[in-house]
Amino acid sequence: MNFTININIDKKLKSIKINFLLLGILIIAAILRFYHLGFQNPWLDELTTLQLSDPTLPLSKTNELIATRDAFPEVYYYPLKLMCSFFGHNIYVLRFFSAIFGVLSIYTIYLLVKELINKKAGYIAAVLLTVNAFHIYHSQEARAYSLLIFFILFANLRLVKFLKEWSTRNAILLGLGVGLIPNAHPLGSLNVMIITVFLFFYFFIDKTKKEQIQLIKNYLITTVVTSIVIYPALSILFRVSNITAFWIPEPTFETIKQAFFELLGSSEIVLCTYVIGLILFFILIFFNKKTETNINKKYIVLLLSIWVIVNIGFIIAKSYLQVSMILNRYFIGSLSLFVIALAYVLSLIKNKKLTIGVVAIFSIFSIYYNIFKREYYKTVFKSEWSLVTDEIVKNNSQRNKIIGAYAYVMSGLLSSTNSRDLGWEIKPEDYVNKLRDEQMPLESFWFVDGNFRPFSLSPEDVAFLDKHFIIDHQIDKYDCWAKHYKLKSEINIDNNTEKSDNIDLNPKIYLTDFTNGNLDDKGHLLIFESGKITSKKINLIKGKYKLKVHGNSLPIKPIDNVNAHIKVFLNKKKIGETFLSENPNNNVNTFKFDNQNVGVNEITIEFDNDVSKNGLDRNVIIYKIDLKKIGS
């Protein structure tokens, strides 16, 4: 439904065409995606996005975190950092970015299906994607899935344009579109494979030698452009391709069905409609001779067949044969496939009123089911990490450590609070083991966890905690919880019992006592760059001491045959230095010193020969530190 408006500009009459039907669809799409955009709390993966999009975070640190903590390439995070630098660093801004590309995807699928089939099917496809609950959800999430769908649709649009005209311009734009797909998510490489395989078969179908030579020239242009655009994502693609174990459960028929149930709208009726639509597509496109399409039908069938085999068949086969990938969002590349197939089937209805009626009923049902039956816009279904951290901050005036398997990811929520440097990413059971083994001091702390991880400790761990602590504060939110363990001896101190000033002859030095170090999930202290780490103040009397630093040089294969070198200081006075061994069975490094300073002292360890070469980085790992008085 196009309307032409004539505008007089500089005494010249200009015509502007407005497609009010498409505009109406896009307005509805925008309402469904921007409404209550900030209602849900950011869940675990969104906290990662919040952390990596921090505009104050240096690009080098952002790239390091992307390489170690996420699978989304830089093309997703850099625009977010730029947006946040102008509009503020918060979850609403991050989701706004996703919502924009969610709406743009509606417009792009209209263009794609109009070019591929016809305008009528294009409108239907736009409506179907507009009301799809899964697409709405990911358009309101601070992750790259709406961007991935947009890139997939854009690349296929450029493919269709290329099929219509083998021009250099279209070859370049096709290369751009294909290269962008895996820059949103590594799974986009499957859609790159779909287009590549399609172009391979297309080369041999009804082509003369002259046409094949022309195609080869354009294919080379597309390949060069794709290679340039895809280059930034290659390191992540290689890393992800080497994954041999993952957290997703083993595949079953039920888990596969559930994945597509959620992908297609979380409704049995909608699921059946899309599956039947896909089957009917492959039947009707061959037998319906009357309906013309803008692209030869055999090419449409070829493209969608490859789409089914790769985006669905490959994922299922890999899940059974290697690593399970059966997760609703990992099938998101096939969402457009179902929409295109159903749009084609519905476009075959000759009666215009009947077509409108069927599409309207399907759309109204989808919207009703999502808004009223599922109560999408007013039901909490994301982990409430921010509510838990807010309450921890309010009740953490003593600045107790915050222990949890995802504590590091929570650092973005704690960054501007008095608890910003207290998070430690370690599993609760591992932390209790360290307390029991006296590798950590007995002191009050918070346990915090969530993301389908309920509180679960062995009876022995619970008994140990009950012996030394009481739970004086407990927080329970949706899919997220926290418990504050108050050390019983500290309760006496709080009740005005004076703390003993006795000096321990063999004081404990814990790895958590050091500043500037990085603790891994096993509680080991890592030093990644040349610099110093210093312990908390410790009380020593005069005498001779033996300090044992249990640590190694990383990597196991020395860089240029040189290991990490450290110097050890007592109150800025060097007491020894050594090259650490790379052998885990040879990790004890002993330093003896004579202390003449009674009272407060501190230990400093300096790592002074950090280097990166050929993808390897020289680092220091420290397992524990022992200090013992050996003489007067």
Side-chain angles (χ1 to χ4, degrees), residues 523-552:
H524 300 149
L525 186 64
L526 294 165
I527 311 176
F528 297 117
E529 299 175 348
S530 292
K532 298 178 180 179
I533 60 172
T534 302
S535 72
K536 292 180 180 178
K537 306 295 183 181
I538 53 177
N539 288 325
L540 299 178
I541 63 173
K542 287 184 179 181
K544 295 178 180 179
Y545 289 83
K546 179 164 54 177
L547 180 74
K548 287 185 179 180
V549 178
H550 300 254
N552 284 124

Side-chain angles (χ1 to χ4, degrees), residues 554-573:
L554 297 176
I556 292 179
K557 184 179 180 180
I559 300 176
D560 294 334
N561 294 317
V562 177
N563 281 344
H565 181 262
I566 63 169
K567 298 175 184 176
V568 182
F569 301 83
L570 177 71
N571 299 328
K572 300 182 181 180
K573 179 181 178 181

Side-chain angles (χ1 to χ4, degrees), residues 31-49:
I31 292 171
L32 293 173
R33 283 152 183 81
F34 285 98
Y35 180 69
H36 267 209
L37 193 58
F39 172 67
Q40 302 288 342
N41 273 256
W43 73 292
L44 190 66
D45 284 9
E46 289 185 300
L47 291 179
T48 300
T49 304

Side-chain angles (χ1 to χ4, degrees), residues 161-447:
K161 293 279 191 181
F162 176 78
L163 298 183
K164 290 184 173 182
E165 182 184 354
W166 302 343
S167 66
T168 301
R169 178 179 181 274
N170 283 340
I172 292 172
L173 290 175
L174 175 58
L176 173 65
V178 174
L180 283 173
I181 299 175
N183 277 284
H185 195 290
L187 278 172
S189 58
L190 294 179
N191 294 86
V192 174
M193 187 190 305
I194 292 168
I195 294 175
T196 303
V197 173
F198 172 84
L199 289 173
F200 173 80
F201 286 110
Y202 177 76
F203 179 82
F204 295 102
I205 299 176
D206 300 335
K207 303 294 184 300
T208 65
K209 283 194 175 182
K210 184 178 179 181
E211 289 174 329
Q212 287 180 334
I213 291 172
Q214 186 181 352
L215 274 176
I216 289 173
K217 292 178 181 178
N218 283 296
Y219 281 8
L220 286 173
I221 294 171
T222 298
T223 302
V224 170
V225 175
T226 298
S227 301
I228 293 171
V229 178
I230 209 173
Y231 180 78
L234 287 180
S235 60
I236 290 180
L237 290 177
F238 289 138
R239 175 164 59 87
V240 171
S241 66
N242 291 324
I243 293 176
T244 57
F246 209 37
W247 60 268
I248 301 175
E250 292 299 309
T252 64
F253 175 78
E254 286 303 319
T255 58
I256 295 171
K257 178 185 175 183
Q258 183 65 24
F260 282 99
F261 171 78
E262 293 167 358
L263 175 74
L264 298 174
S266 297
S267 161
E268 291 285 353
I269 294 175
V270 174
L271 171 64
C272 291
T273 303
Y274 272 113
V275 172
I276 293 171
L278 184 62
I279 296 170
L280 285 176
F281 166 83
F282 286 106
I283 297 173
L284 296 176
I285 198 165
F286 281 117
F287 292 100
N288 182 41
K289 304 294 184 181
K290 295 181 180 180
T291 303
E292 294 295 324
T293 56
N294 291 330
I295 292 293
N296 192 311
K297 288 182 180 179
K298 60 186 172 186
Y299 296 138
I300 299 176
V301 172
L302 176 62
L303 178 60
L304 268 66
S305 297
I306 299 170
W307 210 330
V308 170
I309 293 168
V310 175
N311 247 154
I312 298 176
F314 178 84
I315 291 178
I316 293 175
K318 183 177 176 65
S319 297
Y320 276 103
L321 298 175
Q322 295 179 337
V323 182
S324 180
M325 299 172 62
I326 306 301
L327 196 63
N328 54 25
R329 58 182 180 269
Y330 289 175
F331 286 102
I332 202 166
S334 63
L335 176 59
S336 304
L337 160 70
F338 284 96
V339 171
I340 293 170
L342 183 58
Y344 172 77
V345 172
L346 295 178
S347 72
L348 296 179
I349 301 174
K350 297 301 181 183
N351 187 293
K352 184 177 179 180
K353 291 182 179 179
L354 182 59
T355 305
I356 294 173
V358 171
V359 174
I361 290 171
F362 181 87
S363 303
I364 292 170
F365 174 80
S366 297
I367 293 173
Y368 171 81
Y369 192 86
N370 196 34
I371 295 177
F372 298 104
K373 291 287 287 185
R374 296 181 65 220
E375 298 186 322
Y376 173 78
Y377 292 108
K378 60 181 182 180
T379 301
V380 174
F381 50 80
K382 289 188 177 183
S383 309
E384 296 181 307
W385 292 93
S386 61
L387 298 184
V388 171
T389 53
D390 286 347
E391 198 161 335
I392 289 175
V393 170
K394 290 178 184 177
N395 294 277
N396 199 29
S397 59
Q398 299 299 315
R399 287 179 50 79
N400 297 142
K401 287 185 177 66
I402 302 169
I403 307 300
Y406 303 115
Y408 184 79
V409 180
M410 292 170 55
S411 60
L413 298 174
L414 299 169
S415 60
S416 59
T417 72
N418 68 325
S419 300
R420 58 186 171 276
D421 55 347
L422 300 176
W424 183 15
E425 190 169 79
I426 184 172
K427 294 178 181 178
E429 56 268 29
D430 293 338
Y431 183 72
V432 175
N433 287 336
K434 290 188 176 297
L435 293 177
R436 186 186 286 113
D437 295 341
E438 297 186 347
Q439 295 181 35
M440 297 291 158
L442 284 173
E443 57 187 7
S444 298
F445 66 94
W446 291 87
F447 265 162

Side-chain angles (χ1 to χ4, degrees), residues 22 26 102-112 126 129 153 157:
L22 180 60
L26 294 177
V103 176
L104 287 176
S105 297
I106 309 299
Y107 179 65
T108 309
I109 201 169
Y110 162 76
L111 295 177
L112 168 60
L129 193 59
L153 292 171
L157 173 61

